[in-house]
């Protein structure tokens, strides 16, 4: 059906001509009490950790970037992954992870097709935001930050700066709404590991996406945890 | 006169299936319990519902405007938009895209609209392999069945049955433990994702201001369906819009809590157009198919326009005493439960599903549970009236229904009627169903299969249920409820 006819049918059913100006609105987004910062009077880093653990993820608090590297080193030593995959571009250099990754086979996003990531055991990425109230991390796609990095491997390690923490999802959505002219092609809110209750209501994790989500949080000075 | 959709026959066989009945009830209870906890934790649930209702009502009342904006934004982001007035047109759009790509295989994530247009059937007829990738849907597909719950499609399958299905699909030496079974599905479906030509998903919400398609999932399969194949097709009902990104926060609070009792699903994916220049993954082409299929007929109807506010959470199923007894398949329609009993005969206005509105006790629990406050029970009554007004209701049913409604119209009488029924039915109960009713119920059961009245009647549990829904301070407990409970205990002792 032609778009014009489709839309005209809707207008006719609604019993008025097709509008030429945007509809007037009174109630947009969350109720006022929820927008009030007083409703979210908690330390975001602690709350984030608690919520993430509630849904089966792990939060690791780090005192500095150096501490983060040590903790990441220890985690990897424990897991002994056959292959690690990271974001592309300068991510590994910026985070100073070269020596942490050196003992392992590792690839960056872009060092091969998506298929290369099908055999990655551990993905290491940053994120764009995190939502403390639900233990959620937010990923945005770009040429160096493929969508598949966070979804294909069984373990996902996220490096989160405290300045990226927000209390509630609405704050992230408001910031995203400012992006012009278009949003990133993929924005992904991830809350804990992949899960399903489809077999006799028995919860199982890692059905398609990662079975383990580790978030290493470090204070970057730009915001207080 | 036989039931058009055959609901009475299927309800009969559902009642005979013990596992099904237990599974449905267990699942419904579990989801309902989790919903209660998560809504209490959030707090102000009524305010959230009111805001949700207001946003949905505004959107639907201005659907032409928002749909036009949404389509513009999708195109601005590089996607294509198709408008389908009915299922046949939607199918043709999908088939022509598939033909154009020379597609041989399609991966899908759970979508009720794709069930509505029977896309799998049509793709398979065109020689294209279709693989459902949601774990529950995959199980249902291997069994050659349809989903029995809109959130948990395979609740009617036991783990032994699932093992057998997976073994038939090539699994070797599978045990029945959840990990093994899920592991097989993960591995098998991973190959399918990477090899598929087209991915098809539904759409929980379309954001008008940005042209974004929003998906709420738990397994991560929708992301693979959307990201890995070269072409992504989104099937969406035309009413599935929200005006702005900010509005999404409201529904991110309402939908997962109402559906599964989670504060948020594991994945909330926002897709705006196909892959961008330089991207290594994501679809090269994004097609959004907007489906009417009877929806626009509800617009402008003072009684039924609100059915388009539905966000497909399934909360009304989980509280429905009829659904809990007979399960999803008995409805014979794509959408089961109270929402299905309203929506199905509205979307398809012939005789096929005209009997579905009778698959309800009109207790109102559905409307109480609905996160966007759709008056489902009022709609059910109106649909019955509408049908009665056309004179198509047989005389027998009319009188039975009349007696039923009189009983429901008055709490006290309802209680008495069911109290009586409970005593009288005792010798007649077989496998949890009433073979032949007695008294005012007998005419009803002659053509419909009446679910057995629960050992403690629904009315007696009503007080508890109200508490469940409103919290202890709901103030809806009346002395009548207390009476009912005492009377109930007496009956049980007798
Ligand atoms: S009618 Fe309400 S409760 Fe039922 S599925 Fe729709 S939104 Fe959910």
């Amino acid at each position: 059906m032609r778009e014009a006819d489709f839309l005209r049918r809707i207008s006719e059913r609604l019993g008025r001509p097709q509008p030429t100006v945007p509809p007037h609105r009174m109630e947009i987004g969350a109720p006022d009490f929820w927008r009030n910062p007083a409703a979210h009077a908690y330390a975001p880093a602690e709350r984030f950790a608690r919520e993430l653990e509630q849904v089966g993820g792990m939060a690791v608090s780090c005192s500095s970037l150096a501490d983060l590297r040590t903790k990441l080193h220890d985690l990897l030593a424990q897991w002994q992954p056959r292959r690690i995959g990271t974001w592309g571009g300068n991510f590994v250099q910026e985070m100073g992870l070269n020596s942490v990754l050196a003992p392992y086979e590792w690839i960056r996003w872009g060092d091969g097709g998506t298929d290369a990531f099908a055999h990655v055991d551990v993905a290491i990425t940053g994120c764009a935001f995190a939502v403390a109230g639900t233990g959620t991390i937010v990923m945005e796609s770009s040429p160096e930050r493929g969508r598949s990095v966070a979804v294909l491997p069984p373990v996902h390690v996220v490096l989160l700066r405290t300045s990226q923490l927000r209390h509630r999802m609405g704050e992230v959505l408001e910031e995203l709404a400012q992006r012009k002219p278009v949003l990133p092609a993929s924005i992904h809110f991830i809350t804990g590991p992949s899960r399903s209750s489809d077999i006799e209501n028995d919860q199982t994790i890692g059905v398609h996406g990662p079975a383990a989500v580790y978030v290493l949080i470090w204070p970057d000075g730009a915001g207080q945890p | 006169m036989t039931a058009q959709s055959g609901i009475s026959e299927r309800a009969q066989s559902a009642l005979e299936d013990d596992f099904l009945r237990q599974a449905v009830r267990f699942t419904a209870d579990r989801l309902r319990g989790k919903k209660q906890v998560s809504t209490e934790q959030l707090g102000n649930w009524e305010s959230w519902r009111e805001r949700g209702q207001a946003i949905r009502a505004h959107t639907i009342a201005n659907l032409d405007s928002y749909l036009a904006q949404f389509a513009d934004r999708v195109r601005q982001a590089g996607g294509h938009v198709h408008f389908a007035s009915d299922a046949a047109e939607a199918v043709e759009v999908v088939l022509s895209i598939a033909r154009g790509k020379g597609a041989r295989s399609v991966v899908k994530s759970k979508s009720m609209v794709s069930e509505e247009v029977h896309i799998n059937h049509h793709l398979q007829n065109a020689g294209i392999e279709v693989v459902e990738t949601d774990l529950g849907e995959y199980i249902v597909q291997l069994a050659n069945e349809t989903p029995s719950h809109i959130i948990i499609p395979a609740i009617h399958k036991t783990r032994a049955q699932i093992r057998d299905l997976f073994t038939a699909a090539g699994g070797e030496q599978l045990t029945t433990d959840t990990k093994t079974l899920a592991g097989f599905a993960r591995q098998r479906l991973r190959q399918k994702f990477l090899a598929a030509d087209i991915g098809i998903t539904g759409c929980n919400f379309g954001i008008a201001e940005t042209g974004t398609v929003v998906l709420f999932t738990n397994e991560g399969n929708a992301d693979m369906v959307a990201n890995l194949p070269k072409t992504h097709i989104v099937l969406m009902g035309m009413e599935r819009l929200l005006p702005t990104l900010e509005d999404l926060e409201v529904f991110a609070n309402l939908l997962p809590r109402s559906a599964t009792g989670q504060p948020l699903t594991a994945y909330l994916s926002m897709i705006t157009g196909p892959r961008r220049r330089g991207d290594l993954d994501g679809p090269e082409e994004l097609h959004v198919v907007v489906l009417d299929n009877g929806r626009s007929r509800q617009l402008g109807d003072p009684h039924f326009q609100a059915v388009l506010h539905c966000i497909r959470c399934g909360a009304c199923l989980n509280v429905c005493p009829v659904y809990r007894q007979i399960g999803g398949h008995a409805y014979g329609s794509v959408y089961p439960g109270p929402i299905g009993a309203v929506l199905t005969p509205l979307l398809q206005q012939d005789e096929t599903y005209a009997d579905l509105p009778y698959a309800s006790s009109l207790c109102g629990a559905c409307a109480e549970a609905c996160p966007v406050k759709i008056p489902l029970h009022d709609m059910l009554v109106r649909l019955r009236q509408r049908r009665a007004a056309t004179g198509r209701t047989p005389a027998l049913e009319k009188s039975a229904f009349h007696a039923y409604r009189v009983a429901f119209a008055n709490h006290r009488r309802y209680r008495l009627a069911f109290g009586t029924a409970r005593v009288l039915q005792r010798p007649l109960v077989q496998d949890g169903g009433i073979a032949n009713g007695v008294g005012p119920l007998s005419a009803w059961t002659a053509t419909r299969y009446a679910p057995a009245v629960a050992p403690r009647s629904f009315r007696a549990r009503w007080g508890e249920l109200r508490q469940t829904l409103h919290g202890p301070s709901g103030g809806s407990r009346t002395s009548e409820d207390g009476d009912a409970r005492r009377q109930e205990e007496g009956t049980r002792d007798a």
Side-chain angles (χ1 to χ4, degrees), chain B residues 240-284:
Chain B
R240 220 115 287 285
L241 293 182
L242 295 176
T244 67
L245 278 176
E246 276 188 67
D247 296 315
L248 183 59
E249 184 179 21
V250 177
F251 294 90
N253 273 307
L254 289 174
L255 178 60
R257 282 187 167 84
S258 300
T260 55
Q262 293 172 281
L264 191 57
T265 49
Y267 301 101
L268 189 172
S269 317
M270 299 171 50
I271 298 156
T272 311
R275 71 166 72 174
R276 302 287 157 77
R277 186 188 298 274
D279 280 0
L280 298 172
D281 64 354
E284 286 166 9

Side-chain angles (χ1 to χ4, degrees), chain A residues 148 168 191 194 198 200 202 208, chain B residues 133 136 159 178 219 249 281:
Chain A
S148 305
R168 57 183 186 92
T191 308
S194 153
D198 277 343
E200 288 192 3
D202 189 9
H208 290 294
Chain B
T133 64
R159 57 179 71 247
T178 307
E219 297 181 7
E249 184 179 21
D281 64 354

Side-chain angles (χ1 to χ4, degrees), chain A residues 31-197:
Chain A
D32 289 342
F33 68 82
W34 189 248
R35 294 166 177 275
N36 185 347
H40 311 275
Y42 45 76
E46 282 163 33
R47 174 72 184 261
F48 175 86
R50 201 166 70 234
E51 295 294 333
L52 179 62
E53 282 168 21
Q54 200 73 44
V55 292
M58 281 292 294
V60 180
S61 170
C62 310
S63 57
S64 64
L65 191 51
D67 184 38
L68 178 146
R69 291 185 200 112
T70 309
K71 288 188 163 130
L72 181 60
H73 170 273
D74 294 348
L75 283 173
L76 294 175
Q78 209 178 308
W79 295 331
Q80 290 298 320
R82 275 165 306 177
R83 182 188 271 186
I84 296 171
T86 70
W87 270 356
N90 290 328
F91 173 68
V92 169
Q93 287 88 320
E94 275 169 17
M95 298 301 292
L97 300 181
N98 274 305
S99 60
V100 177
L101 297 177
Y104 307 96
E105 178 189 336
W106 69 277
I107 55 171
R108 290 183 313 177
W109 182 251
D111 289 351
T114 305
D115 289 358
F117 267 71
H119 304 290
V120 161
D121 289 336
V122 176
I124 302 175
T125 72
C127 63
F129 300 97
V131 181
T134 49
T136 304
I137 54 153
V138 185
M139 315 278 297
E140 294 176 7
S141 66
S142 74
E144 292 166 356
R145 300 173 179 186
R147 303 151 175 79
S148 305
V149 181
V151 188
L152 288 176
V155 178
H156 182 198
V157 177
V158 185
L159 312 184
L160 168 68
R161 306 162 196 261
T162 48
S163 64
Q164 293 172 318
L165 275 163
R166 304 289 180 275
H167 286 86
R168 57 183 186 92
M169 176 187 284
E171 295 169 68
V172 175
L173 293 172
E174 279 162 35
E175 287 180 54
L176 288 172
Q178 306 304 316
R179 301 280 178 85
K180 298 285 184 283
V182 286
L183 292 179
S186 165
I187 303 172
H188 211 177
F189 287 70
I190 302 174
T191 308
S194 153
R195 52 192 168 271
S196 168
S197 297

Side-chain angles (χ1 to χ4, degrees), chain B residues 87-108:
Chain B
E89 278 188 32
V91 168
E92 190 40 46
V93 169
V94 175
L95 286 179
S96 74
I97 295 169
R99 277 193 296 264
K101 305 284 164 207
R104 305 168 60 116
S105 74
V106 168
V107 283
K108 275 188 64 213

Side-chain angles (χ1 to χ4, degrees), chain B residues 150 255 258 307 309-317 338-339 366 369-374 376:
Chain B
I150 66 177
L255 178 60
S258 300
V307 80
H309 302 172
C310 174
I311 59 171
R312 305 283 189 269
C313 69
C316 56
L317 279 62
I339 181 62
C366 47
C370 178
V372 290
K373 304 182 81 158
I374 301 173
L376 289 163

Side-chain angles (χ1 to χ4, degrees), chain B residues 11 21 27 49 76 136 171 209 271 274 278 287 320 330 484:
Chain B
R21 202 161 65 246
T27 308
R49 286 177 80 205
Q76 197 183 331
E209 72 169 340
I271 298 156
H287 295 266
C320 176

